[in-house]
Amino acid sequence: MNSPRDFGPEPSARPVAPLAAVNDFVVKFANVNGSGSASANELFAKSILRMGVPVSPRNIFPSNIQGLPTWYEVRVSEQGWLGRRGGVDLLVQMNPQTWEQDLAEIEPGGYLFYDSSRPIPLSSFRDDIGIIGMPITEICNRTYSDSRQRQLFKNIIYVGALAAMLGIEPAVIEKLFGEQYRGKEKLLDANVKALHLGYDWAKNQGAPCGLRVQRADRVGDRIFLEGNAAAALGCVYGGATVCAWYPITPSSSVAEAFQKYCQKYRVDPDSKKNRYAIVQAEDEIASIGMVVGAGWNGARAFTATSGPGVSLMTEFIGLAYFAEIPVTIIDVQRGGPSTGMPTRTQQADVLACAYASHGDTKHVLLFPEDPAECFEFAATALDLADRLQTPVFLMTDLDIGMNQRLCAPLAWDDSRRYDRGKVMTALELEAGTDFRRYHDVDGDGIPYRTYPGTHPKRGGFFTRGTTRDSGANYSEKGPDYIYNVQRLLKKFDTARGLVPQPLLRESAEKTRTGVLYYGSTSPAMVEAIEELEASGTLLDAMRLRAFPFPESVRQFVLSHDQVFVVEQNRDAQLRSLLVNELSLDPARLIPILHYDGTPITARFIVDAIGEQRRGPNVVPLKEHAA
Amino acid sequence: MTYHAKPKLHHPSLARNAVGLTRRDYEGKVSTLCAGCGHDSISAAIIQACWELDVKPHRVAKLSGIGCSSKTPDYFLRNAHGFNAVHGRMPSVLTGANLANRELLYLGVSGDGDSASIGIGQFVHSIRRGVNMVYIVENNGVYGLTKGQFSATADQGSTSKRGVVNADQPIDLVGLALQLGASYVARGFSGDKQQLVPLIKGAIHHRGAAFIDVISPCVAFNNHAGSTKSYEYVRQHNEAVNRLDVIPCRSEISVEYPEGSVVEVEQHDGSVLRLRKLAAGYDPTDRAAALNLVLAHDSRGEVATGLLFVDSAAHDLHQHLNTTEVPFNRLDAAVLCPGAAALQRINEGLR
């Protein structure tokens, strides 16, 4: 048996002081996918959360089922920073395949925890980090005879060792086991035993680590869930009855979560029949086609997809825009173009969705920042789609969708009613109310519709993708066409006031520099703003929550000399949309772009803004005035 | 096409059906198709079938894709909602519409280009899902609107109007539908309304995916010598394997038929399909036999028409999904939204 070393192969040669931190560090787990590590790693994160310390975990996984490297990164931050920090303070190295690249990421003075069952040449270590070797495989082989158990309990054993090293209370983890294995006492006991095997080992060895978890009270009533599950729940609450989808990473878990919640909340207690229908379609074209058909026929329907799916759906999206049919599309964005980086994150579908389909089209986009907004905006999207009779996109991404994120508890007001929009009823038709499907009665660009089957003689119309007059009769006359597309523009203008409005965070003092950001950039941005402020760079910040942009966005840009637009794509897509739609001077808008597939970090934003900022350090205007 | 508008007033002596409507009430706009187009005969057969079955026109949703055939829903059932979807994608739109409101009658009209070429995937999957619908393909083997290109149902060796020989194997939608589990499969000919009307009526009474392939000659681009979808060719090679009568509910057979020449199939709603003049020993409830029959006729260059297969015990998509009887589009927040208290409990489970 290798004896674990305290501090590296040559402790005396260690040139850097070991890191010491309480409730503020990053642990990265390097695993092999398919080894059962995911649930153990999640257990680790949740146990810290239960000690009242905010964590933000991120899965960094391959497009693969078994055998390839996968990572899980947990940022522990008592201050509550939920963005990815960058850098690693403690590496839990369970995958020799990625030894070298993972070790390189450890901050000087940081720590390596690894399975020392097999000897590793000294040259493979770094001399500026603390090294803690634990013969995990040996311990497992000694303790368990079953090969599956040997593998699975490895993970729990290292969680136990980490708990001892970092000061996580084993009772907290035991309680989590209790919740997970309620009624499965055998499993519960086995897991508790494995946990203590690791915990006791580390306690006895006195494995030294300067990183500590200490009980705090910084989590409050916040909840911890994935954006995809939250969006699915938003669709349940928002009244979606039809979900048509085609499996694609990273959106598949939206439909799966919808199924799970529907089985619980959408079965008629008397007849045991379902108040929902989920169809796994043959492709994304059929998925969106079913959503269009259901929306046309008055049921709330949605699909969940990612960039390649949106590409396939575009013809139907154009039809839904032009024929004015409510459609909700959840786009969990991943790295593009083409197959791109299926298991990495980006905000790279903004333009593709905003202008999806041929001809003159524009679509409503919502940008949730976290799971709580995924929930809220999913329900909002269903309302907006009905109100505006048009496709509405919920633009989330892999970072929000597939990682558990600490966020505000989900909220629902029981007095809220679904906004089904302008639907003419049989009574209204019977009373002789004028019905012309594409006529702008109210001056907001939104016409009235009828559901099929409403009235024997009135309200029937033919839905088509061809040009029509306001009475829905086929027409290729110029004036009919112009009336229709101008009305669609007016409707888009109406949308400006209906979508979630941007949120402004003004700097403590007046500044001529602003920043615009959206979606999953939010946690890193909030942290970066604070850091920049501390170093004297003052920023007014506006978080965009939807397209079309309200007038307040233009005013924000015009009232600053320099506005950074922070986004996670190569081509500054949102910036293009701002320039294009608000006729802004591109020189005012400085792109800050992060697009390597990993979630953007505060460090990146701080550095990038620091480099790009024009002129001298910001001088608050009031000093000029004085 | 004609430029004369259809009269809105009709002679009071026109016969009315049980819901008080005349045939005229089942018509639509004036057709813009070519004079003599087979598709117009199919529209007339749909009108006839719906009138005879006392279908309420506004309780029909008529959906189509793109092409000459897909224009036709504008030419019948003017009080029904229609939907001209994108090319080849009618089946998915129909499926979604059907999920939203199971109470309407879903009539999908498509063409051979729409269903066998660009839309074959959607044709295939809507059939295998058992969507409760009447799916009619108006099959002329040619693209009309784009002026005469072959479609995927054009027979190998048949020639285009310009004399080009088609080298590709044809897709037989009837054979495909049989393999995919369609529970009502028929083939008709637009030139034989006597046969076609009952086939449509039987499909309307059917629960599940009912598919009717109607050979419908294109007078502009595919009605010449060398075409196997011309009026002349089909008339010469049409072999009706049976004659169908659709009887809304079971009644005594009042006419004497020779032994073995009549088969009756009762559908889920009590309607009866009475099949006469059957090929010897042919069992229309035997899927494999139907497939054999179709293949045998194909190999002889003949067109087998009639009701080829029916499974009256079939389940539809709603049954597979165990959906509630109340149409989704009538459900409101009271039954769809779990409410704040449930959300509170969900929150508690996420800490």
mmCIF file of all heavy atoms in Angstrom, chain A residues 50 221 224 237 265-266 272 274 282 286 290 297-298 410 414 450 453 461 463 473, chain B residues 29 58-59 81-82 84 96-97 106 129 321-322 324 329 336 339-340 343 347 350-351:
data_model
loop_
_atom_site.group_PDB
_atom_site.id
_atom_site.type_symbol
_atom_site.label_atom_id
_atom_site.label_comp_id
_atom_site.label_asym_id
_atom_site.label_seq_id
_atom_site.Cartn_x
_atom_site.Cartn_y
_atom_site.Cartn_z
ATOM 1 N N ARG A 50 -26.647 22.325 2.564
ATOM 2 C CA ARG A 50 -27.393 22.066 3.797
ATOM 3 C C ARG A 50 -26.700 22.668 5.026
ATOM 4 O O ARG A 50 -27.314 22.815 6.073
ATOM 5 C CB ARG A 50 -27.573 20.561 3.995
ATOM 6 C CG ARG A 50 -28.576 19.925 3.054
ATOM 7 C CD ARG A 50 -29.995 20.286 3.418
ATOM 8 N NE ARG A 50 -30.967 19.714 2.498
ATOM 9 C CZ ARG A 50 -31.568 18.537 2.678
ATOM 10 N NH1 ARG A 50 -31.294 17.818 3.735
ATOM 11 N NH2 ARG A 50 -32.441 18.094 1.807
ATOM 12 N N ASP A 221 -34.218 30.738 1.967
ATOM 13 C CA ASP A 221 -35.288 29.841 1.501
ATOM 14 C C ASP A 221 -35.095 29.453 0.033
ATOM 15 O O ASP A 221 -36.003 28.941 -0.604
ATOM 16 C CB ASP A 221 -36.665 30.489 1.711
ATOM 17 C CG ASP A 221 -36.873 31.685 0.792
ATOM 18 O OD1 ASP A 221 -35.868 32.168 0.201
ATOM 19 O OD2 ASP A 221 -38.026 32.127 0.655
ATOM 20 N N PHE A 224 -32.859 24.613 -5.068
ATOM 21 C CA PHE A 224 -31.722 24.119 -5.834
ATOM 22 C C PHE A 224 -32.262 23.188 -6.905
ATOM 23 O O PHE A 224 -32.715 22.078 -6.599
ATOM 24 C CB PHE A 224 -30.844 23.361 -4.831
ATOM 25 C CG PHE A 224 -29.466 22.987 -5.285
ATOM 26 C CD1 PHE A 224 -28.571 23.949 -5.730
ATOM 27 C CD2 PHE A 224 -29.033 21.671 -5.211
ATOM 28 C CE1 PHE A 224 -27.279 23.603 -6.098
ATOM 29 C CE2 PHE A 224 -27.741 21.317 -5.580
ATOM 30 C CZ PHE A 224 -26.868 22.286 -6.024
ATOM 31 N N TYR A 237 -47.592 24.542 -14.926
ATOM 32 C CA TYR A 237 -48.349 25.628 -14.293
ATOM 33 C C TYR A 237 -49.002 26.541 -15.325
ATOM 34 O O TYR A 237 -50.089 27.053 -15.112
ATOM 35 C CB TYR A 237 -47.457 26.410 -13.321
ATOM 36 C CG TYR A 237 -47.462 25.785 -11.943
ATOM 37 C CD1 TYR A 237 -46.783 24.590 -11.703
ATOM 38 C CD2 TYR A 237 -48.212 26.329 -10.904
ATOM 39 C CE1 TYR A 237 -46.835 23.972 -10.468
ATOM 40 C CE2 TYR A 237 -48.273 25.717 -9.656
ATOM 41 C CZ TYR A 237 -47.584 24.544 -9.447
ATOM 42 O OH TYR A 237 -47.650 23.918 -8.224
ATOM 43 N N TYR A 265 -49.278 15.662 -11.378
ATOM 44 C CA TYR A 265 -50.249 16.749 -11.212
ATOM 45 C C TYR A 265 -51.320 16.815 -12.292
ATOM 46 O O TYR A 265 -52.208 17.641 -12.220
ATOM 47 C CB TYR A 265 -49.518 18.092 -11.165
ATOM 48 C CG TYR A 265 -48.580 18.205 -9.994
ATOM 49 C CD1 TYR A 265 -47.200 18.157 -10.171
ATOM 50 C CD2 TYR A 265 -49.082 18.339 -8.702
ATOM 51 C CE1 TYR A 265 -46.342 18.251 -9.085
ATOM 52 C CE2 TYR A 265 -48.228 18.436 -7.615
ATOM 53 C CZ TYR A 265 -46.858 18.381 -7.814
ATOM 54 O OH TYR A 265 -46.018 18.475 -6.741
ATOM 55 N N ARG A 266 -51.243 15.986 -13.297
ATOM 56 C CA ARG A 266 -52.147 16.175 -14.423
ATOM 57 C C ARG A 266 -52.975 14.934 -14.752
ATOM 58 O O ARG A 266 -53.374 14.739 -15.892
ATOM 59 C CB ARG A 266 -51.342 16.588 -15.656
ATOM 60 C CG ARG A 266 -50.924 18.052 -15.640
ATOM 61 C CD ARG A 266 -52.127 18.943 -15.916
ATOM 62 N NE ARG A 266 -51.710 20.306 -16.169
ATOM 63 C CZ ARG A 266 -51.167 20.708 -17.298
ATOM 64 N NH1 ARG A 266 -50.989 19.879 -18.283
ATOM 65 N NH2 ARG A 266 -50.801 21.951 -17.446
ATOM 66 N N LYS A 272 -58.695 8.725 -13.879
ATOM 67 C CA LYS A 272 -57.285 8.296 -14.025
ATOM 68 C C LYS A 272 -56.767 8.547 -15.440
ATOM 69 O O LYS A 272 -55.824 7.909 -15.899
ATOM 70 C CB LYS A 272 -57.091 6.805 -13.683
ATOM 71 C CG LYS A 272 -57.626 6.413 -12.318
ATOM 72 C CD LYS A 272 -56.731 6.930 -11.207
ATOM 73 C CE LYS A 272 -57.317 6.594 -9.828
ATOM 74 N NZ LYS A 272 -57.178 7.715 -8.892
ATOM 75 N N ASN A 274 -55.311 11.151 -18.493
ATOM 76 C CA ASN A 274 -54.311 12.214 -18.524
ATOM 77 C C ASN A 274 -54.848 13.524 -19.093
ATOM 78 O O ASN A 274 -55.497 13.526 -20.132
ATOM 79 C CB ASN A 274 -53.109 11.774 -19.356
ATOM 80 C CG ASN A 274 -52.448 10.549 -18.776
ATOM 81 O OD1 ASN A 274 -52.474 10.338 -17.564
ATOM 82 N ND2 ASN A 274 -51.858 9.732 -19.642
ATOM 83 N N GLU A 282 -40.953 12.098 -34.653
ATOM 84 C CA GLU A 282 -39.905 11.467 -35.454
ATOM 85 C C GLU A 282 -38.760 12.419 -35.748
ATOM 86 O O GLU A 282 -37.679 12.003 -36.143
ATOM 87 C CB GLU A 282 -40.485 10.917 -36.766
ATOM 88 C CG GLU A 282 -41.144 11.956 -37.668
ATOM 89 C CD GLU A 282 -42.634 12.112 -37.393
ATOM 90 O OE1 GLU A 282 -43.051 11.893 -36.240
ATOM 91 O OE2 GLU A 282 -43.369 12.452 -38.327
ATOM 92 N N ALA A 286 -41.608 17.469 -37.201
ATOM 93 C CA ALA A 286 -42.900 16.952 -36.737
ATOM 94 C C ALA A 286 -43.236 17.519 -35.360
ATOM 95 O O ALA A 286 -44.403 17.808 -35.076
ATOM 96 C CB ALA A 286 -42.875 15.431 -36.698
ATOM 97 N N MET A 290 -46.708 19.499 -34.751
ATOM 98 C CA MET A 290 -47.746 19.120 -33.774
ATOM 99 C C MET A 290 -48.078 20.293 -32.856
ATOM 100 O O MET A 290 -49.244 20.509 -32.509
ATOM 101 C CB MET A 290 -47.265 17.932 -32.944
ATOM 102 C CG MET A 290 -47.227 16.650 -33.754
ATOM 103 S SD MET A 290 -46.609 15.284 -32.762
ATOM 104 C CE MET A 290 -46.009 14.221 -34.066
ATOM 105 N N ASN A 297 -55.630 24.750 -32.758
ATOM 106 C CA ASN A 297 -56.879 24.159 -32.278
ATOM 107 C C ASN A 297 -57.157 24.513 -30.823
ATOM 108 O O ASN A 297 -58.008 23.903 -30.186
ATOM 109 C CB ASN A 297 -56.805 22.632 -32.451
ATOM 110 C CG ASN A 297 -58.160 22.032 -32.784
ATOM 111 O OD1 ASN A 297 -59.155 22.742 -32.859
ATOM 112 N ND2 ASN A 297 -58.189 20.732 -32.970
ATOM 113 N N GLY A 298 -56.407 25.461 -30.264
ATOM 114 C CA GLY A 298 -56.770 26.013 -28.963
ATOM 115 C C GLY A 298 -56.197 25.336 -27.742
ATOM 116 O O GLY A 298 -56.602 25.645 -26.624
ATOM 117 N N LEU A 410 -39.837 28.940 -6.350
ATOM 118 C CA LEU A 410 -40.801 29.165 -7.419
ATOM 119 C C LEU A 410 -42.075 29.733 -6.825
ATOM 120 O O LEU A 410 -42.493 29.344 -5.735
ATOM 121 C CB LEU A 410 -41.086 27.849 -8.145
ATOM 122 C CG LEU A 410 -39.848 27.093 -8.632
ATOM 123 C CD1 LEU A 410 -40.251 25.805 -9.344
ATOM 124 C CD2 LEU A 410 -38.989 27.963 -9.553
ATOM 125 N N ASP A 414 -52.325 32.158 -7.084
ATOM 126 C CA ASP A 414 -53.516 31.370 -7.431
ATOM 127 C C ASP A 414 -54.615 32.190 -8.110
ATOM 128 O O ASP A 414 -55.520 31.619 -8.713
ATOM 129 C CB ASP A 414 -54.073 30.673 -6.184
ATOM 130 C CG ASP A 414 -53.289 29.395 -5.873
ATOM 131 O OD1 ASP A 414 -52.682 28.835 -6.798
ATOM 132 O OD2 ASP A 414 -53.282 28.972 -4.694
ATOM 133 N N THR A 450 -60.780 32.147 -34.077
ATOM 134 C CA THR A 450 -61.789 31.221 -33.558
ATOM 135 C C THR A 450 -61.146 29.839 -33.523
ATOM 136 O O THR A 450 -60.266 29.545 -34.319
ATOM 137 C CB THR A 450 -63.027 31.142 -34.479
ATOM 138 O OG1 THR A 450 -62.581 30.824 -35.809
ATOM 139 C CG2 THR A 450 -63.808 32.445 -34.503
ATOM 140 N N GLY A 453 -64.529 24.340 -35.070
ATOM 141 C CA GLY A 453 -65.691 23.677 -34.472
ATOM 142 C C GLY A 453 -66.554 24.577 -33.617
ATOM 143 O O GLY A 453 -67.447 24.093 -32.927
ATOM 144 N N PHE A 461 -62.647 29.634 -41.064
ATOM 145 C CA PHE A 461 -61.702 30.287 -41.984
ATOM 146 C C PHE A 461 -60.634 29.288 -42.388
ATOM 147 O O PHE A 461 -60.500 28.223 -41.790
ATOM 148 C CB PHE A 461 -61.077 31.539 -41.344
ATOM 149 C CG PHE A 461 -60.193 31.242 -40.169
ATOM 150 C CD1 PHE A 461 -58.825 31.076 -40.332
ATOM 151 C CD2 PHE A 461 -60.731 31.113 -38.890
ATOM 152 C CE1 PHE A 461 -58.005 30.794 -39.245
ATOM 153 C CE2 PHE A 461 -59.918 30.829 -37.796
ATOM 154 C CZ PHE A 461 -58.559 30.663 -37.984
ATOM 155 N N THR A 463 -56.771 28.575 -42.807
ATOM 156 C CA THR A 463 -55.441 28.980 -42.368
ATOM 157 C C THR A 463 -54.434 28.570 -43.423
ATOM 158 O O THR A 463 -54.474 27.429 -43.889
ATOM 159 C CB THR A 463 -55.103 28.278 -41.040
ATOM 160 O OG1 THR A 463 -56.097 28.628 -40.077
ATOM 161 C CG2 THR A 463 -53.737 28.691 -40.532
ATOM 162 N N ASN A 473 -59.078 35.204 -47.072
ATOM 163 C CA ASN A 473 -59.212 34.669 -48.426
ATOM 164 C C ASN A 473 -57.896 34.828 -49.173
ATOM 165 O O ASN A 473 -57.235 35.874 -49.065
ATOM 166 C CB ASN A 473 -60.297 35.439 -49.197
ATOM 167 C CG ASN A 473 -61.633 35.357 -48.471
ATOM 168 O OD1 ASN A 473 -62.189 34.280 -48.306
ATOM 169 N ND2 ASN A 473 -62.106 36.505 -47.986
ATOM 170 N N LYS B 29 -65.432 26.873 -51.904
ATOM 171 C CA LYS B 29 -65.225 27.852 -52.968
ATOM 172 C C LYS B 29 -65.171 27.142 -54.322
ATOM 173 O O LYS B 29 -65.018 25.914 -54.399
ATOM 174 C CB LYS B 29 -63.900 28.567 -52.727
ATOM 175 C CG LYS B 29 -63.912 29.456 -51.491
ATOM 176 C CD LYS B 29 -62.963 30.625 -51.692
ATOM 177 C CE LYS B 29 -63.213 31.691 -50.657
ATOM 178 N NZ LYS B 29 -62.553 31.379 -49.387
ATOM 179 N N HIS B 58 -69.087 22.114 -39.629
ATOM 180 C CA HIS B 58 -68.174 22.891 -38.785
ATOM 181 C C HIS B 58 -67.464 22.021 -37.755
ATOM 182 O O HIS B 58 -66.555 22.484 -37.081
ATOM 183 C CB HIS B 58 -68.914 24.048 -38.100
ATOM 184 C CG HIS B 58 -69.774 23.645 -36.940
ATOM 185 N ND1 HIS B 58 -70.926 22.911 -37.075
ATOM 186 C CD2 HIS B 58 -69.628 23.872 -35.620
ATOM 187 C CE1 HIS B 58 -71.452 22.707 -35.886
ATOM 188 N NE2 HIS B 58 -70.695 23.282 -34.982
ATOM 189 N N ARG B 59 -67.872 20.759 -37.659
ATOM 190 C CA ARG B 59 -67.179 19.849 -36.729
ATOM 191 C C ARG B 59 -66.112 19.022 -37.455
ATOM 192 O O ARG B 59 -65.653 17.996 -36.947
ATOM 193 C CB ARG B 59 -68.181 18.921 -36.037
ATOM 194 C CG ARG B 59 -69.267 19.664 -35.247
ATOM 195 C CD ARG B 59 -68.703 20.519 -34.137
ATOM 196 N NE ARG B 59 -68.213 19.741 -33.012
ATOM 197 C CZ ARG B 59 -67.523 20.246 -31.987
ATOM 198 N NH1 ARG B 59 -67.202 21.537 -31.968
ATOM 199 N NH2 ARG B 59 -67.113 19.479 -31.010
ATOM 200 N N HIS B 81 -63.173 24.690 -40.458
ATOM 201 C CA HIS B 81 -61.851 25.316 -40.438
ATOM 202 C C HIS B 81 -60.909 24.496 -41.310
ATOM 203 O O HIS B 81 -60.932 23.257 -41.260
ATOM 204 C CB HIS B 81 -61.287 25.354 -39.017
ATOM 205 C CG HIS B 81 -61.772 26.514 -38.206
ATOM 206 N ND1 HIS B 81 -63.088 26.731 -37.922
ATOM 207 C CD2 HIS B 81 -61.080 27.541 -37.619
ATOM 208 C CE1 HIS B 81 -63.203 27.830 -37.190
ATOM 209 N NE2 HIS B 81 -62.000 28.344 -36.983
ATOM 210 N N GLY B 82 -60.104 25.200 -42.087
ATOM 211 C CA GLY B 82 -59.131 24.513 -42.936
ATOM 212 C C GLY B 82 -57.726 24.947 -42.590
ATOM 213 O O GLY B 82 -57.511 26.006 -41.997
ATOM 214 N N ASN B 84 -53.952 24.855 -44.485
ATOM 215 C CA ASN B 84 -52.983 24.558 -45.531
ATOM 216 C C ASN B 84 -51.591 24.679 -44.885
ATOM 217 O O ASN B 84 -51.095 25.771 -44.700
ATOM 218 C CB ASN B 84 -53.135 25.655 -46.588
ATOM 219 C CG ASN B 84 -53.000 25.147 -47.994
ATOM 220 O OD1 ASN B 84 -53.159 25.919 -48.917
ATOM 221 N ND2 ASN B 84 -52.709 23.886 -48.176
ATOM 222 N N GLY B 96 -51.249 17.185 -33.996
ATOM 223 C CA GLY B 96 -51.332 18.159 -32.908
ATOM 224 C C GLY B 96 -52.755 18.663 -32.721
ATOM 225 O O GLY B 96 -53.253 18.786 -31.598
ATOM 226 N N ALA B 97 -53.419 18.949 -33.845
ATOM 227 C CA ALA B 97 -54.794 19.441 -33.772
ATOM 228 C C ALA B 97 -55.689 18.385 -33.124
ATOM 229 O O ALA B 97 -56.527 18.690 -32.262
ATOM 230 C CB ALA B 97 -55.289 19.793 -35.168
ATOM 231 N N TYR B 106 -61.189 14.657 -38.253
ATOM 232 C CA TYR B 106 -59.975 15.150 -38.898
ATOM 233 C C TYR B 106 -59.812 14.547 -40.280
ATOM 234 O O TYR B 106 -59.680 13.330 -40.425
ATOM 235 C CB TYR B 106 -58.754 14.895 -38.009
ATOM 236 C CG TYR B 106 -58.844 15.776 -36.792
ATOM 237 C CD1 TYR B 106 -59.493 15.345 -35.634
ATOM 238 C CD2 TYR B 106 -58.388 17.081 -36.840
ATOM 239 C CE1 TYR B 106 -59.661 16.179 -34.555
ATOM 240 C CE2 TYR B 106 -58.543 17.940 -35.758
ATOM 241 C CZ TYR B 106 -59.181 17.474 -34.620
ATOM 242 O OH TYR B 106 -59.353 18.325 -33.562
ATOM 243 N N ARG B 129 -48.632 5.931 -35.504
ATOM 244 C CA ARG B 129 -49.160 6.391 -34.207
ATOM 245 C C ARG B 129 -50.651 6.116 -34.070
ATOM 246 O O ARG B 129 -51.201 6.267 -32.993
ATOM 247 C CB ARG B 129 -48.947 7.894 -34.046
ATOM 248 C CG ARG B 129 -47.549 8.241 -33.667
ATOM 249 C CD ARG B 129 -47.364 9.698 -33.299
ATOM 250 N NE ARG B 129 -45.942 9.919 -33.237
ATOM 251 C CZ ARG B 129 -45.234 10.508 -34.178
ATOM 252 N NH1 ARG B 129 -45.827 11.031 -35.233
ATOM 253 N NH2 ARG B 129 -43.936 10.595 -34.062
ATOM 254 N N LEU B 321 -52.395 7.171 -25.425
ATOM 255 C CA LEU B 321 -51.892 8.177 -24.476
ATOM 256 C C LEU B 321 -52.785 8.304 -23.241
ATOM 257 O O LEU B 321 -52.489 9.082 -22.345
ATOM 258 C CB LEU B 321 -51.777 9.544 -25.165
ATOM 259 C CG LEU B 321 -50.738 9.650 -26.290
ATOM 260 C CD1 LEU B 321 -50.841 11.007 -26.987
ATOM 261 C CD2 LEU B 321 -49.328 9.460 -25.753
ATOM 262 N N ASN B 322 -53.862 7.563 -23.233
ATOM 263 C CA ASN B 322 -54.802 7.576 -22.104
ATOM 264 C C ASN B 322 -55.259 8.992 -21.752
ATOM 265 O O ASN B 322 -55.291 9.394 -20.589
ATOM 266 C CB ASN B 322 -54.162 6.906 -20.880
ATOM 267 C CG ASN B 322 -55.163 6.667 -19.768
ATOM 268 O OD1 ASN B 322 -56.346 6.378 -20.033
ATOM 269 N ND2 ASN B 322 -54.740 6.831 -18.514
ATOM 270 N N THR B 324 -57.703 12.314 -21.350
ATOM 271 C CA THR B 324 -59.043 12.545 -20.816
ATOM 272 C C THR B 324 -60.044 12.791 -21.954
ATOM 273 O O THR B 324 -59.673 13.204 -23.039
ATOM 274 C CB THR B 324 -58.999 13.747 -19.845
ATOM 275 O OG1 THR B 324 -60.306 14.006 -19.385
ATOM 276 C CG2 THR B 324 -58.467 14.985 -20.512
ATOM 277 N N ASN B 329 -58.555 21.659 -25.363
ATOM 278 C CA ASN B 329 -58.762 23.102 -25.552
ATOM 279 C C ASN B 329 -59.933 23.634 -24.728
ATOM 280 O O ASN B 329 -60.227 24.820 -24.755
ATOM 281 C CB ASN B 329 -58.905 23.464 -27.047
ATOM 282 C CG ASN B 329 -60.179 22.941 -27.675
ATOM 283 O OD1 ASN B 329 -60.984 22.260 -27.030
ATOM 284 N ND2 ASN B 329 -60.373 23.244 -28.955
ATOM 285 N N LEU B 336 -55.822 22.466 -14.776
ATOM 286 C CA LEU B 336 -54.473 22.305 -15.342
ATOM 287 C C LEU B 336 -53.372 22.776 -14.400
ATOM 288 O O LEU B 336 -52.246 22.295 -14.454
ATOM 289 C CB LEU B 336 -54.368 23.075 -16.666
ATOM 290 C CG LEU B 336 -55.238 22.553 -17.809
ATOM 291 C CD1 LEU B 336 -55.069 23.421 -19.052
ATOM 292 C CD2 LEU B 336 -54.899 21.108 -18.137
ATOM 293 N N GLY B 339 -51.394 24.771 -8.633
ATOM 294 C CA GLY B 339 -51.623 25.777 -7.601
ATOM 295 C C GLY B 339 -50.440 26.049 -6.693
ATOM 296 O O GLY B 339 -49.440 25.328 -6.682
ATOM 297 N N ALA B 340 -50.573 27.145 -5.928
ATOM 298 C CA ALA B 340 -49.462 27.641 -5.101
ATOM 299 C C ALA B 340 -49.096 26.677 -3.978
ATOM 300 O O ALA B 340 -47.922 26.534 -3.634
ATOM 301 C CB ALA B 340 -49.824 29.010 -4.529
ATOM 302 N N LEU B 343 -46.924 24.038 -5.217
ATOM 303 C CA LEU B 343 -45.611 24.596 -5.550
ATOM 304 C C LEU B 343 -44.773 24.769 -4.289
ATOM 305 O O LEU B 343 -43.555 24.557 -4.299
ATOM 306 C CB LEU B 343 -45.783 25.938 -6.274
ATOM 307 C CG LEU B 343 -44.582 26.449 -7.054
ATOM 308 C CD1 LEU B 343 -44.111 25.435 -8.088
ATOM 309 C CD2 LEU B 343 -44.891 27.774 -7.736
ATOM 310 N N ASN B 347 -41.151 23.280 -3.734
ATOM 311 C CA ASN B 347 -40.003 24.067 -3.246
ATOM 312 C C ASN B 347 -39.338 23.375 -2.061
ATOM 313 O O ASN B 347 -38.114 23.308 -1.981
ATOM 314 C CB ASN B 347 -40.456 25.471 -2.831
ATOM 315 C CG ASN B 347 -40.664 26.396 -4.034
ATOM 316 O OD1 ASN B 347 -39.981 26.260 -5.047
ATOM 317 N ND2 ASN B 347 -41.602 27.318 -3.916
ATOM 318 N N LEU B 350 -36.875 20.801 -2.767
ATOM 319 C CA LEU B 350 -35.705 21.217 -3.561
ATOM 320 C C LEU B 350 -34.696 21.989 -2.726
ATOM 321 O O LEU B 350 -33.952 22.819 -3.236
ATOM 322 C CB LEU B 350 -36.168 22.075 -4.743
ATOM 323 C CG LEU B 350 -37.036 21.372 -5.784
ATOM 324 C CD1 LEU B 350 -37.667 22.363 -6.739
ATOM 325 C CD2 LEU B 350 -36.219 20.346 -6.556
ATOM 326 N N ARG B 351 -34.691 21.709 -1.414
ATOM 327 C CA ARG B 351 -33.755 22.451 -0.555
ATOM 328 C C ARG B 351 -32.732 21.528 0.059
ATOM 329 O O ARG B 351 -32.906 20.326 0.040
ATOM 330 C CB ARG B 351 -34.518 23.177 0.549
ATOM 331 C CG ARG B 351 -35.296 24.339 -0.008
ATOM 332 C CD ARG B 351 -36.003 25.138 1.061
ATOM 333 N NE ARG B 351 -36.627 26.280 0.415
ATOM 334 C CZ ARG B 351 -37.925 26.576 0.528
ATOM 335 N NH1 ARG B 351 -38.712 25.837 1.267
ATOM 336 N NH2 ARG B 351 -38.408 27.628 -0.092
#
